[in-house]
Amino acid sequence: MQDKKPTEPAENISLLEKKRAEGPNAGRMADIGVSQAELVEPRGDNGRKLPQYIAALSATLGALAAGSMLGWSSPVVFKLTEGNNTDYNFPVTVAQGDWISSIINLGAAAVCFPIGVIMDAIGRKKTMLCLVVPFTLGWLLITFGTSVGMLIAGRFIIGVAGGAFCVTAPAYTSEIAQDSIRGTLGSYFQLMVTIGILFSYVVGSYTSIFVFNILCTLIPILFGVIFFFMPESPSYLVVKGQNDEAREALIRLRGNSYDVDYELNNLKQKAEEAKNNPVSFLSAITKKTAVKALIICYALMVFQQLSGINAVIFNSSSIFSDAGAAMDAAVSTIIIGVIQVVATFVSSLVVDKLGRRILLLLSALVMCICSTALGVFFFLQDTHGENSSIVQAITWLPLVSLSLFIVAFSLGFGPIPWMMAGELCLIDIKAFVGSTAGTLNWLLSFTVTSTFNSLNTAIGSGQVFWLFAGIMLLAFIFIFFIVPETKGKSVDEIQIMLGGRPTERQFEEKK
C-alpha cells in the first residue's frame, strides 16, 4: 500500500473500492473503509506519546492510593488482632478486624454508580481531584482513630474514594490515548494498584502503624498536586462544547506536529451527530452494541472476582509453609506482591502487541489448571493428612501453582476487565457501564472475602479450588466465543465488531 494523504477523497474512495474487490471476507471491514487510525491519525500515528504516558501515570497515582488501601489490612489488622497493637489504645477483636478489612468493598460499591453521573457532569479531571478530599479525610480518621468505629468509618470513606478512582481513571486514560497505545495506558491502572499493594506489604510490615498511615495519607495528596497540571479528556470537552479547550488538550497530549484539527473535527462531528439525533439513555443502553458491551464488561468482572484470586492470596502463607519454605508470613506475602507487580508490568508491555483477547484466554486457561492442581493438593492433604507420603511427595506443587496463578491473573484478568468498559462503550454509556461494573466488582469482592472461610469449612478447601477452576473454564469458553479483540481498533471499528451497522460517513463528508 502506497503512502497517501487522507485529505484527498479520491484516493480514500479508491482504497475503499479496492478493499471491497478483495472478496466477501473483506466486506465488513471494507464497509467502514480504512482503519480509524488512518482517518483520525492521518500522519502515520506520529503524535507524541510521552505526554500521554505522563498524563496516564499521573491519573493512576490515584490507583496507587487505592492499592495501598487494599493492602493496608494485611499487615495492620494482623498486628491489631494479635495483640501487637502499640499505636491504638483500644483492643480489636478478630470479628472487628474482619469488618475493618472488608468495609472498603461496601464503600467502593456505594460510590461506583453516582461517580459515573458526577464525572459526566463536571469532568474526569475535576472528579478525580475532588476525590483527594475523602481520601485524605479517611486516612486521617484511621491515623488518629480513638475507637474501632473511627477505623471502620475511615476505611469506608477511603473505600468510597478508591472505588471512584477505579471508574474514573480507566475512563480518563482510554479517552486521552491514541489507539496504538490505549491498551498500554489502560493497563497502568492495575499496575499501580499492585504497586500500592506491594507498598503496603513492605512498609506496613516493617514500620509502625502510625508511620505507615501517615505515608498512605501523603499518596493522594501527591496525586492531587501532580494531576492538577494534567489536561482534561478532549472527548469530554468536545461533548460539553468546549472546543477551544479540547484543542489545547489535544496539543498538549499529541504535540504540535500532529494533525490536531483532524482529530478534533472527528470528535466534534460525533458530538454534533449525537446532539442532532438525541437518543434517550434507555435507547442508548438497549442498542445491540451496548447490550453486548455491557454483558462482556459485567461477565469479565464476575469472572475476575470468582477466579479464586482471593482464595489463593488467603492461603499464601500456608502454601509457602506446606512447600517447606522457611519464611514468615510477611515475607511470603511480599513475594506474592512482587510477582503481581512484575507480571502486571509485563502485561502493560505486551497488551498492545499480543492483544486483550489472547491474554484473557491464556490467563483463564493457566488459572484453571493451577486451581485444579491446588485443589488436588488440599484434597489429598485433608484426606490423607499433611504428613502422609503422597502429600510430602508433592509439596512443590502448591508453591508452583500459586506462583503461576498470580502471574496468569496479573497478565490478563487483573488489568484487562477494568479497561474494557472504556474500550467497548461509546461515551454516552461509558460512565454508566464503567460505574455499574465497578459496583458489581466490589460487591462480589466483599461477598467472596466474607464467605470464603465459611465455604472452605462447608465443602473443603480442595473442593473450593475445583469450584474456582470450573468457573475459569467457563470464562475461557465465554472469552473464546464472545469477547472481541480491541487491540489497535478505533471506536467505530469496535462498534462494528459488536454488531453495529457499518457507516461510510467519513467518506461521505469528503465527497
Side-chain angles (χ1 to χ4, degrees):
M1 185 183 296
Q2 295 180 349
D3 293 335
K4 53 192 177 301
K5 298 179 181 178
T7 54
E8 297 175 11
E11 292 187 33
N12 276 336
I13 296 171
S14 66
L15 176 61
L16 177 62
E17 293 172 348
K18 180 179 178 181
K19 285 184 173 288
R20 283 175 172 160
E22 291 176 356
N25 293 332
R28 277 177 64 84
M29 293 312 295
D31 284 336
I32 63 169
V34 293
S35 72
Q36 187 77 359
E38 289 177 282
L39 290 167
V40 176
E41 298 169 348
R43 297 184 180 179
D45 194 25
N46 66 339
R48 290 184 62 200
K49 305 298 193 299
L50 182 59
Q52 298 171 62
Y53 282 107
I54 293 174
L57 286 172
S58 300
T60 53
L61 279 175
L64 179 67
S68 64
M69 167 194 80
L70 292 170
W72 179 90
S73 58
S74 179
V76 173
V77 173
F78 175 78
K79 294 178 182 179
L80 294 179
T81 56
E82 291 296 316
N84 298 325
N85 177 13
T86 58
D87 291 88
Y88 296 110
N89 59 0
F90 52 89
V92 178
T93 66
V94 173
Q96 290 171 334
D98 289 341
W99 269 103
I100 293 172
S101 297
S102 60
I103 194 66
I104 57 169
N105 296 294
L106 295 182
V111 76
C112 281
F113 183 74
I115 203 65
V117 177
I118 294 171
M119 72 185 216
D120 274 349
I122 67 174
R124 281 66 167 140
K125 178 181 176 179
K126 289 181 181 177
T127 299
M128 286 192 281
L129 288 176
C130 289
L131 293 175
V132 174
V133 175
F135 242 135
T136 305
L137 174 62
W139 280 119
L140 290 176
L141 283 173
I142 293 170
T143 303
F144 301 102
T146 57
S147 66
V148 172
M150 286 185 69
L151 294 186
I152 292 176
R155 290 280 289 170
F156 180 85
I157 292 172
I158 64 172
V160 168
F165 266 113
C166 290
V167 176
T168 51
Y172 176 81
T173 53
S174 71
E175 291 175 10
I176 66 168
Q178 293 173 262
D179 292 339
S180 60
I181 59 171
R182 192 178 62 239
T184 298
L185 298 192
S187 65
Y188 284 169
F189 171 80
Q190 183 68 17
L191 175 62
M192 295 298 275
V193 169
T194 59
I195 291 175
I197 293 173
L198 179 59
F199 166 82
S200 291
Y201 289 167
V202 175
V203 178
S205 297
Y206 297 105
T207 65
S208 69
I209 296 176
F210 178 78
V211 171
F212 179 37
N213 288 341
I214 291 295
L215 292 175
C216 289
T217 306
L218 293 176
I219 295 176
I221 296 174
L222 177 64
F223 156 78
V225 171
I226 295 175
F227 191 65
F228 178 82
F229 298 98
M230 297 299 113
E232 176 59 275
S233 158
S235 299
Y236 168 80
L237 292 172
V238 169
V239 168
K240 293 299 182 179
Q242 302 174 31
N243 296 326
D244 292 339
E245 292 86 346
R247 189 176 191 280
E248 293 176 4
L250 282 171
I251 291 174
R252 291 182 61 188
L253 291 166
R254 308 284 194 265
N256 290 320
S257 63
Y258 179 79
D259 195 343
V260 169
D261 289 326
Y262 200 96
E263 181 171 353
L264 179 62
N265 289 336
N266 186 275
L267 293 174
K268 287 166 62 177
Q269 181 172 347
K270 289 181 179 179
E272 190 68 22
E273 288 178 356
K275 181 179 180 180
N276 294 336
N277 301 284
V279 178
S280 67
F281 174 76
L282 182 61
S283 299
I285 201 67
T286 54
K287 288 193 303 184
K288 180 181 178 181
T289 54
V291 170
K292 189 170 182 179
L294 187 146
I295 291 172
I296 292 172
C297 292
Y298 285 7
L300 290 179
M301 290 299 192
V302 171
F303 288 132
Q304 184 196 67
Q305 286 302 317
L306 299 186
S307 65
I309 184 64
N310 290 320
V312 169
I313 292 177
F314 288 164
N315 283 275
S316 59
S317 297
S318 63
I319 288 173
F320 274 91
S321 176
D322 292 333
M327 61 183 70
D328 60 26
V331 175
S332 63
T333 304
I334 290 171
I335 290 175
I336 291 174
V338 171
I339 293 173
Q340 282 186 299
V341 170
V342 172
T344 307
F345 177 70
V346 171
S347 176
S348 71
L349 297 177
V350 302
V351 68
D352 276 323
K353 296 180 175 64
L354 298 180
R356 288 68 154 152
R357 190 169 179 270
I358 188 64
L359 287 177
L360 284 173
L361 287 170
L362 177 64
S363 180
L365 180 61
V366 174
M367 290 164 69
C368 178
I369 295 172
C370 291
S371 292
T372 302
L374 286 167
V376 169
F377 178 84
F378 282 110
F379 176 78
L380 292 175
Q381 188 181 67
D382 292 342
T383 304
H384 300 284
E386 61 182 22
N387 295 321
S388 62
S389 58
I390 188 172
V391 172
Q392 290 299 311
I394 57 172
T395 54
W396 54 270
L397 181 62
L399 185 56
V400 172
S401 299
L402 167 75
S403 301
L404 290 177
F405 187 97
I406 295 294
V407 169
F409 178 84
S410 301
L411 282 174
F413 265 99
I416 294 176
W418 288 107
M419 71 172 70
M420 291 305 282
E423 295 201 334
L424 294 177
C425 301
L426 295 174
I427 194 168
D428 56 349
I429 64 166
K430 185 183 297 184
F432 172 81
V433 176
S435 60
T436 52
T439 301
L440 176 63
N441 185 284
W442 288 105
L443 288 176
L444 284 171
S445 177
F446 176 78
T447 303
V448 172
T449 302
S450 60
T451 62
F452 171 71
N453 288 328
S454 300
L455 185 63
N456 202 44
T457 302
I459 67 175
S461 53
Q463 288 85 339
V464 170
F465 281 106
W466 288 336
L467 175 63
F468 291 138
I471 291 171
M472 293 320 296
L473 179 60
L474 292 176
F476 182 91
I477 296 171
F478 176 84
I479 296 163
F480 187 84
F481 288 105
I482 303 296
V483 178
E485 178 55 73
T486 59
K487 178 188 71 173
K489 298 294 191 298
S490 70
V491 173
D492 289 338
E493 289 174 318
I494 291 172
Q495 295 305 302
I496 295 296
M497 290 190 293
L498 291 174
R501 296 179 62 85
T503 175
E504 296 183 18
R505 66 174 176 79
Q506 295 97 337
F507 297 100
E508 292 296 332
E509 67 182 9
K510 300 174 184 289
K511 290 182 179 180

